[in-house]
């Protein structure tokens, strides 16, 4: 008799992010997100609420006017209405609080938002800063598909999922390339 292998359950949350950005992250094309929400201040500085999380592609607030032209072709209608398909696990490699608009705008080539969107997020709620999150992304062997329920919807950054079974593949971006992206991020922030 053969024994089947089930991946272990893990307590996990998901971070809502535009579908186009999730596509870029899960293809390994980009590793950086610029975020205003989902960050908290601790005595050691600024931290993402969860260091490991599933990417939760959202369609509701995607805005073609805020994406760089090179990524407009990624905009699409929800391919699975009534379901949420979580494609990958992200691990935070670095978090930088960016308090200079000029520095935030220098990050435009490393992520999907255009300069106008970066500026709007930077000034959102009259708090002039933004966070840059460098992520290591691992695709799930089988994407996690959930039925859309009211507790999964709404304008929140984080969705607690509780215990889920998932099995991930190798990181989409090789470690040396990820470290090169980190060095480029740090260089642009110092420039």
């Amino acid at each position: 008799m053969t024994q089947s292998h089930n991946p272990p359950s893990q307590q996990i949350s998901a971070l809502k992010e535009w579908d186009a950005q999730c596509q870029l992250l899960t293809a390994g094309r980009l590793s950086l997100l610029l975020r205003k929400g989902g960050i908290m201040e601790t005595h050691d500085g600024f931290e993402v609420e969860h260091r490991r999380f599933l990417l939760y592609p959202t369609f509701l607030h995607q805005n073609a006017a805020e994406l760089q032209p090179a990524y407009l072709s990624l905009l699409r209608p929800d391919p699975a209405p009534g379901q949420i398909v979580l494609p990958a696990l992200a691990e935070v490699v670095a978090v930088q609080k960016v308090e200079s608009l000029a520095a935030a705008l220098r990050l435009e080539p490393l992520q999907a938002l255009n300069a106008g969107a970066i500026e709007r997020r930077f000034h959102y709620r009259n708090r002039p800063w933004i966070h840059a999150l460098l992520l290591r992304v691992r695709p799930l062997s089988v994407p996690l598909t959930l039925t859309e329920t009211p507790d999964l919807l709404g304008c929140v950054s984080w969705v607690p999922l509780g215990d889920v079974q998932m099995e991930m593949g190798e990181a989409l971006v090789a470690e040396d390339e990820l470290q090169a992206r980190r060095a480029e991020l740090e260089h642009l922030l110092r420039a």
Side-chain angles (χ1 to χ4, degrees):
M1 174 163 76
T2 60
Q3 203 170 18
S4 66
H5 171 69
N6 290 325
S9 286
Q10 299 179 39
Q11 285 278 331
I12 194 98
S13 289
L15 178 67
K16 290 186 176 183
E17 187 53 72
W18 288 359
D19 175 65
Q21 298 214 83
C22 289
Q23 288 180 61
L24 291 163
L25 291 166
T26 57
R29 291 173 62 188
L30 298 176
S31 298
L32 189 72
L33 285 179
L34 296 180
R35 298 284 304 191
K36 191 75 163 199
I39 312 292
M40 62 184 176
E41 187 169 0
T42 69
H43 68 282
D44 291 326
F46 290 84
E47 285 293 324
V48 178
E49 292 177 30
H50 303 281
R51 300 295 287 192
R52 289 170 36 104
F53 50 85
L54 290 168
L55 293 174
Y56 180 140
T58 59
F59 297 86
L60 182 60
H61 296 297
Q62 282 195 121
N63 184 346
E66 294 195 336
L67 277 178
Q68 293 180 40
Y71 303 127
L72 290 175
S73 64
L74 297 175
L75 293 174
R76 61 183 180 161
D78 187 343
Q83 295 186 320
I84 299 161
V85 180
L86 308 169
L89 179 81
E91 301 165 331
V92 177
V93 174
V95 180
Q96 298 283 341
K97 184 178 186 186
V98 184
E99 297 180 278
S100 155
L101 178 57
L105 292 172
R106 286 193 298 269
L107 302 180
E108 185 179 9
L110 304 184
Q111 51 77 60
L113 299 175
N114 63 30
I118 293 169
E119 186 169 354
R120 277 188 292 286
R121 288 187 183 197
F122 183 87
H123 289 296
Y124 183 67
R125 293 194 175 170
N126 204 25
R127 294 187 220 155
W129 47 261
I130 200 164
H131 286 92
L133 278 65
L134 187 70
L135 304 175
R136 178 183 297 111
V137 178
R138 300 175 189 276
L140 299 184
S141 300
V142 176
L144 180 63
T145 302
L146 305 173
T147 300
E148 199 172 75
T149 60
D151 58 318
L152 296 175
L153 303 175
C155 291
V156 295
S157 295
W158 296 104
V159 176
L161 299 177
D163 277 331
V164 297
Q165 283 191 347
M166 59 184 174
E167 191 172 326
M168 352 333 87
E170 293 297 315
L172 289 157
V173 176
E175 195 60 29
D176 58 341
E177 172 61 20
L178 187 61
Q179 292 311 316
R181 292 179 184 188
R182 182 179 191 159
E184 185 176 9
L185 168 65
E186 291 169 358
H187 171 74
L188 290 171
L189 291 175
R190 284 191 308 268

